[in-house]
């Protein structure tokens, strides 16, 4: 990976090259592939790592087949460090009165904001230990 500063923000270049035996053949016969990969608000979190692994699989696949690949990863900011989730949850708040959607909204919020495997495991424990519809039983 190579960090490059563009307009005051760091852009990460991830370069995948073919193995040396296929490199001479690749430079003579195949063009290089340039991928622009932006994870936007999912970068830096658990879902961002899944996205990086997905993008890396493409880079390795191109390199295995003799084609060089350069991925340009744009700057990202994790969703937890923005006000987007505050506004989204305020808009989705009326849906919490529908019993089946409570757990789904909680799980969606959990997986979008989680930044580590520990937070995902803790959230899964909360999901498994909570009854499916406990709020409707309250007075």
């Amino acid at each position: 990976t190579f960090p490059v500063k563009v307009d005051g923000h760091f852009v990460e270049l991830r370069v995948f090259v073919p193995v040396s035996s296929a490199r001479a053949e690749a430079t003579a016969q195949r063009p290089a592939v340039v991928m622009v990969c932006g994870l936007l608000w999912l970068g830096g979190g658990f879902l961002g790592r899944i996205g990086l692994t997905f993008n890396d699989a493409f880079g390795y696949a191109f390199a295995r087949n003799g084609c060089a690949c350069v991925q340009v990863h744009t700057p990202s900011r994790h969703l937890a460090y923005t006000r987007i989730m505050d506004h989204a949850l305020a808009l989705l708040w009326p849906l919490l009165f529908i019993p089946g959607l409570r757990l789904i909204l909680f799980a969606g919020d959990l997986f979008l904001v989680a930044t580590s495997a520990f937070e995902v495991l803790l959230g899964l424990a909360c999901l498994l230990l909570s009854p499916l519809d406990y709020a409707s039983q309250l007075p």
Side-chain angles (χ1 to χ4, degrees):
T1 61
F2 304 98
V4 178
K5 196 168 190 177
V6 177
D7 292 335
H9 299 285
F10 280 102
V11 175
E12 183 180 0
L13 299 178
R14 298 170 71 92
V15 180
F16 301 89
V17 293
V19 292
S20 60
S21 61
R23 189 176 296 173
E25 178 186 332
T27 57
Q29 297 178 2
R30 297 185 182 169
V33 175
V34 177
M35 296 173 59
V36 178
C37 307
L39 297 173
L40 298 175
W41 293 296
L42 297 178
F46 187 72
L47 292 176
R49 278 189 257 147
I50 293 173
L52 280 178
T53 305
F54 181 78
N55 290 336
D56 285 351
F58 276 101
Y60 288 125
F62 281 118
R64 261 193 320 271
N65 291 306
C67 188
C69 178
V70 177
Q71 294 179 353
V72 181
H73 287 269
T74 58
S76 60
R77 183 176 180 191
H78 191 260
L79 192 63
Y81 301 115
T82 65
R83 302 296 290 190
I84 292 173
M85 288 305 288
D86 298 337
H87 298 298
L89 289 177
L91 290 173
L92 295 175
W93 179 75
L95 295 177
L96 294 176
F97 291 111
I98 302 172
L101 290 179
R102 289 186 192 117
L103 192 63
I104 294 170
L105 289 175
F106 173 66
D109 181 38
L110 167 78
F111 288 115
L112 284 174
V113 179
T115 57
S116 67
F118 174 73
E119 290 178 358
V120 171
L121 291 175
L122 186 64
L124 285 175
C126 289
L127 286 173
L128 293 175
L129 294 175
S130 66
L132 292 178
D133 190 23
Y134 66 91
S136 65
Q137 299 169 1
L138 297 174

